[in-house]
Amino acid sequence: TSNTLRSYHPHLPKLIAVVAVGGGGFVAYNTLNGSNTVDPSVKKKRVVVLGTGWAGTSFLKDLDSSQYDIQVVSPRNYFAFTPLLPSVTCGTVEPRSIVEPIRNIMKKKGGDIGFLEAECFKIDPQNKSVHCRSVKQANLEGKEEFIVDYDYLVVAMGARSNTFNTPGVEEHTHFLKEIEDAQNIRRNVIDCFEKASLPNLTEEERKKNLHFVVVGGGPTGVEFAAELHDYIKKDLSKLYPTVKDLVKITLLEAADHILGMFDKRITEFAEEKFQRDGIDVKLGSMVVKVTDKDICTKEKSKEGVSSIPYGMIVWSTGIGTRPVISEFMKQVGQVNRRALATDEWLRVDGSDSIYALGDCASINQRKVMDDIADIFKKADKDNSGTLTVKELQDVVNDICERYPQVQLYMKNKSMKNIVQLLEESKGDNEKESKELDIERFKSALSAVDSKMKFLPATAQVAAQQGQYLAKCFNRMNECEQTPEGPLRMRKDGRHRFHPFRYRHLGQFAPLGGEQTAFQLPGDHVSIGYSSQWLWYSVYASKQVSWRNRMLVVSDWTRRFIYGRDSSRI
Ligand code: FAD
């Protein structure tokens, strides 16, 4: 099986075909020389894309705009390169260097693409429409409401920061999710230094102002703490010499380690490096409340709650569901989920015209589990309900083949975890038999899965899903014309396209001091200065336009020569 969509019909007549398409009118397109040029006099189906983030933008960039009437709705009229947001918080790169106006992308594509700067507040699948409201801007009240109809809806609205309903978080902490968040953090860091430098303050007050607390030891929290440490050490301590010794950075993490999703070697290196750098990493520390003066934490190792005075808090504890998505999930009978469940073709469960991708979606775990059970049953040739460890390993390979998105976990940590969990679940007296039954296998898999999602919420996943879906859409009309063609291609005849396959390319964790950790698929890990240079080249190459690439590289060069800018503008 290959990663690309299979050619659906090798012997199509080379002529202009006109086909009736349900509900949306007629589409005519020319298959001459394999091109799908659409007859302009014919009504095209409308695709509404909600969101201009990683998923929405990569979908738009690859979609054949001549085939559809495309309408993009998003409260922000630009794409933001989120992996460089932590660098914006400290002025290492400028905000405008990492954003690309969505209208630039649309202009390059040509075709029927419209953009509405608005947020969708309701999805109405019965009437195939979305209800939108203009965003509150300087000259707009944010009250104008309108309805946009769709033939196909692509939901790529991302997620919001998760506060776990901790009191005071919304009011007193900074999130790090959007460009504005990064800009506010940058201003606030300087504010804290300026405030601490005013006369008539006690030493305690100065210390409080210069206490920076980062909540969450995931990649974003860790990268921000490392950036801030570099900024203070290399730039601010020279500009604020009288208060530099009062600065403190604390990183609070509820789990036992930071960077829990990375290899143990990276976690250990990061914890040791932070210790050397003087960043106070408090593990097993859960934030229970935030007030305007203190952050209250409950430590695993201690009784009671401790209060820590702070100058600024950055909250980065993962993602939660946007209210409009929660509301839509209720409508389509998906309850108690963090993200919209889709099938492996990214169609929202129970709908054939709504697709969801990126952080707001997740491939339906129940279906994956059922398929995994089928694979297990097929491997159990003697019908005993048990498999040997060798057979189990074949099953795992089979699962990886079928669900490459599981591969990352299976092949790295989870394969080990699964076998370990299976061993544990058997109990001592069974260890010798090396036989494992399906229920134990499934519960072990669920246990692994509850710790690690089948697909991580990353830009890599979102971008690949966008590209995949665009390819499907580019062939949709072609496939509708001869439905028998693509169906013949799949043995089980379930769908005309290949299911989505995630290809994990590795993950970076910048740790400050020009050192980065890099984890490749498999057990490969690289940590240090060389990975930092790899990080620079990968992130420069991944920019969406040459304009962004040049701006980002020139920001890095400026920082090397002149340091970061500390004006509070
Ligand atoms: P987003 O990129 O968040 O886009 C969502 C879009 O929907 C936005 O345009 C938003 O304006 C729009 N929207 C919101 N509400 C509505 C509405 N009501 N109606 C219409 N549109 C709406 N991933 C990596 O792989 N590598 C990294 O190094 C990395 N670093 C990160 C650093 C930070 C600081 C952050 C915050 C994230 C990082 N990520 C990284 C994760 C990555 O950014 C996300 O996984 C990715 O952005 C998800 O893409 P998305 O399109 O689903 O959502």
Side-chain angles (χ1 to χ4, degrees), residues 303-323:
E303 285 288 303
V305 171
S306 353
S307 291
I308 321 168
Y310 68 88
M312 184 181 118
I313 303 173
V314 172
W315 187 271
S316 170
T317 58
I319 51 173
T321 322
R322 289 196 189 279

Side-chain angles (χ1 to χ4, degrees), residues 8 32 55 82 126 169 184 199 230 284 303 335 351 388 458 480 520:
Y8 90 103
L32 197 62
T82 47
Q126 272 80 37
V169 172
N184 288 338
D230 282 5
E303 285 288 303
V335 276
S351 163
T388 64
T458 61
E480 267 172 20
L520 279 157

Side-chain angles (χ1 to χ4, degrees), residues 1 47 58 66-67 96 122 194 207 226 232 278 315 361 364 368 373 380 385 400 402 432 456 489 513 535:
T1 52
V47 181
S58 83
S66 66
Q67 291 193 44
R96 284 193 184 269
K122 188 181 164 200
E194 292 297 353
K207 274 189 181 166
I232 292 170
W315 187 271
N364 191 330
V368 176
D380 178 19
C400 293
R402 182 144 185 177
E432 292 305 306
M489 297 299 169
W535 183 88

Side-chain angles (χ1 to χ4, degrees), residues 69 109 140 165 226 253 321 393 413 415 436 454 457 492:
D69 161 15
K109 285 207 70 77
L140 278 177
N165 295 326
E253 166 58 53
T321 322
Q393 274 169 357
K413 304 181 191 168
M415 181 61 216
L436 310 157
F454 277 117
D492 57 5

Side-chain angles (χ1 to χ4, degrees), residues 244-259:
K244 73 174 174 27
D245 296 329
L246 306 177
V247 179
K248 186 174 174 197
I249 302 174
T250 303
L251 177 62
L252 303 175
E253 166 58 53
D256 296 336
H257 291 285
I258 57 171
L259 296 178

Side-chain angles (χ1 to χ4, degrees), residues 497-521:
F497 304 122
H498 274 297
F500 169 69
R501 303 219 150 147
Y502 172 57
R503 264 185 65 225
H504 186 64
L505 303 170
Q507 205 177 349
F508 287 106
L511 301 171
E514 297 297 314
Q515 297 197 59
T516 284
F518 181 44
Q519 184 169 339
L520 279 157

Side-chain angles (χ1 to χ4, degrees), residues 35-69:
S35 71
N36 295 334
T37 44
V38 176
D39 181 342
S41 64
V42 172
K43 190 178 174 232
K44 300 176 201 168
K45 281 198 177 182
R46 172 173 281 189
V47 181
V48 173
V49 183
L50 300 177
T52 50
W54 278 95
T57 305
S58 83
F59 173 73
L60 268 184
K61 281 184 89 178
D62 284 11
L63 186 64
D64 178 354
S65 53
S66 66
Q67 291 193 44
Y68 296 99
D69 161 15

